[in-house]
Amino acid sequence: MQSRRLIFDKKSKFDTAFEGESVENLYLCRQINRDLQMKEVSVLVGAGSIGQAIIRRVSAGKHVVLADYSEENAKRTAKTLEDAGFECSTIRCDLGNKEDILALVAFATSKGEVKFLVNAAGVSPSQAPVEEILRVDLYGTSVLLEEFGKVIAEGGSGVIISSQSGHRLPALPQEQNDALAMSPVEELMRLPFIKEINDTLKAYQYSKRCNVLRVAYEACRWAKRGATINSISPGIIITPLANDELHGPRAKGYLDMIAGMPARRAGTPDEVGDLAEFLMSSRGRFISGADFLIDGGCTASYWYGDLRYLKATH
């Protein structure tokens, strides 16, 4: 049996060489080892329709890490993506739990360099109480941005899925903007104006406003690693959950909102995916720290058009 030795150098963790092998075989071994070491990773948190639409567009040839509160959901998504030619692994992750986020970072970096991060996880006002919305959507997203900002690869990019709901919150005092953007993550939940929130819609709106501000703050830190980070604020996008709402007891409210927006229709996950693909591609390298509304003009109509009546309740 041929003896093996491990050769360590500054360029790679290890290079397996075989004494007596031909130059051609040695070169092939080194090339395979180099390819394994240089594997790029795309991380998707929240394996729903919007996240899948984005990750499919940016992850050809990359290892896809799927993180979801429900590992069964992550595994179903992995099967769908694997049947389409993607290489995947899954991990359970509660976005509102810092230890879960740290475990996700460790898991993702064990697969290779993290090139892309997409966060499409979160809870809505109709799904959870105030404390849970703030824990997941406000605190958890902020932790995620901070921790992946420490490991994102040069030339990498991230997209945080926020919501048009954050744009329905009136302008905040500058000191509140600064606090949401720049406070240490462990202090966010203790901010006085956050502790005063007792309404699920307000909790959601403040969380999504915080997402946008936090992205702007983190863009300055991600830039030091040569990476970009942006947020996207979708309006009514047809997903399984939205489709249930459109056929449920609150259908009329949604349909009236759609009728009152300039586009006169709901959006699709693919449209959000197209926008995210641009932001994460080489064409989007001059864009970082920004938020993009993709809502069919719903926010414009909310403030200045036919949907102004919603201000009384939204």
Side-chain angles (χ1 to χ4, degrees):
M1 180 179 294
Q2 293 171 322
S3 63
R4 301 183 182 184
R5 70 180 187 278
L6 295 180
I7 304 174
F8 292 84
D9 58 30
K10 295 180 180 179
K11 295 182 179 179
S12 64
K13 294 180 180 178
F14 64 88
D15 188 4
T16 305
F18 296 87
E19 292 182 355
E21 284 285 0
S22 68
V23 173
E24 290 81 4
N25 285 349
L26 180 57
Y27 175 80
L28 180 60
C29 287
R30 286 177 171 169
Q31 185 63 42
I32 291 172
N33 185 49
R34 188 178 300 114
D35 290 344
L36 288 171
Q37 291 178 43
M38 294 177 66
K39 193 76 174 181
E40 292 182 338
V41 176
S42 293
V43 178
L44 171 60
V45 185
S49 300
I50 292 175
Q52 289 181 51
I54 298 171
I55 218 71
R56 290 174 74 105
R57 284 164 165 76
V58 301
S59 300
K62 296 177 176 59
H63 184 89
V64 178
V65 171
L66 298 167
D68 199 279
Y69 185 80
S70 165
E71 191 165 8
E72 287 305 309
N73 187 40
K75 287 178 178 178
R76 283 193 297 270
T77 300
K79 177 65 167 61
T80 299
L81 291 174
E82 286 166 354
D83 286 345
F86 294 90
E87 176 186 296
C88 302
S89 58
T90 64
I91 182 172
R92 185 187 178 279
C93 181
D94 176 358
L95 180 60
N97 185 309
K98 186 172 184 177
E99 293 306 312
D100 277 15
I101 292 172
L102 293 175
L104 170 60
V105 172
F107 182 73
T109 53
S110 75
K111 303 296 181 182
E113 283 193 317
V114 178
K115 187 67 179 291
F116 294 132
L117 170 69
V118 177
N119 179 37
V123 292
S124 73
S126 61
Q127 293 176 315
V130 168
E131 295 76 13
E132 183 73 357
I133 292 170
L134 294 172
R135 182 183 72 87
V136 175
D137 293 353
L138 187 147
Y139 169 76
T141 300
S142 299
V143 174
L144 189 78
L145 279 164
E146 182 174 283
E147 295 302 326
F148 271 97
K150 299 174 183 177
V151 302
I152 192 73
E154 183 175 359
S157 188
V159 163
I160 302 297
I161 298 301
S162 185
S163 169
Q164 68 174 359
S165 194
H167 290 266
R168 294 185 178 182
L169 199 63
L172 300 177
Q174 189 58 45
E175 58 268 23
Q176 290 190 11
N177 283 335
D178 291 346
L180 289 172
M182 298 187 291
S183 294
V185 289
E186 299 304 328
E187 294 180 12
L188 284 170
M189 298 286 281
R190 297 197 294 268
L191 293 172
F193 60 93
I194 295 299
K195 291 174 68 176
E196 291 172 359
I197 296 173
N198 57 13
D199 172 79
T200 57
L201 180 59
K202 276 289 183 285
Y204 187 70
Q205 290 175 334
Y206 266 90
S207 295
K208 295 307 176 179
R209 179 66 61 83
C210 181
N211 292 168
V212 170
L213 292 168
R214 212 74 197 187
V215 161
Y217 172 74
E218 287 292 344
C220 304
R221 270 129 290 280
W222 283 47
K224 294 176 182 178
R225 297 184 62 88
T228 64
I229 178 71
N230 293 287
S231 60
I232 294 175
S233 293
I236 300 175
I237 305 296
I238 298 299
T239 63
L241 178 61
N243 219 19
D244 287 344
E245 295 280 8
L246 286 169
H247 293 87
R250 298 194 296 175
K252 185 179 185 304
Y254 278 95
L255 293 172
D256 287 347
M257 194 181 302
I258 291 171
M261 69 173 69
R264 299 293 192 268
R265 67 173 177 85
T268 66
D270 284 337
E271 288 173 300
V272 181
D274 288 342
L275 174 57
E277 180 186 16
F278 173 80
L279 293 173
M280 301 174 83
S281 73
S282 60
R283 296 168 293 163
R285 297 306 299 174
F286 197 59
I287 305 170
S288 193
D291 179 65
F292 293 85
L293 264 174
I294 179 167
D295 66 349
C298 189
T299 299
S301 186
Y302 174 87
W303 287 107
Y304 309 115
D306 295 340
L307 296 178
R308 283 178 291 173
Y309 70 89
L310 289 173
K311 293 179 188 178
T313 56
H314 289 66

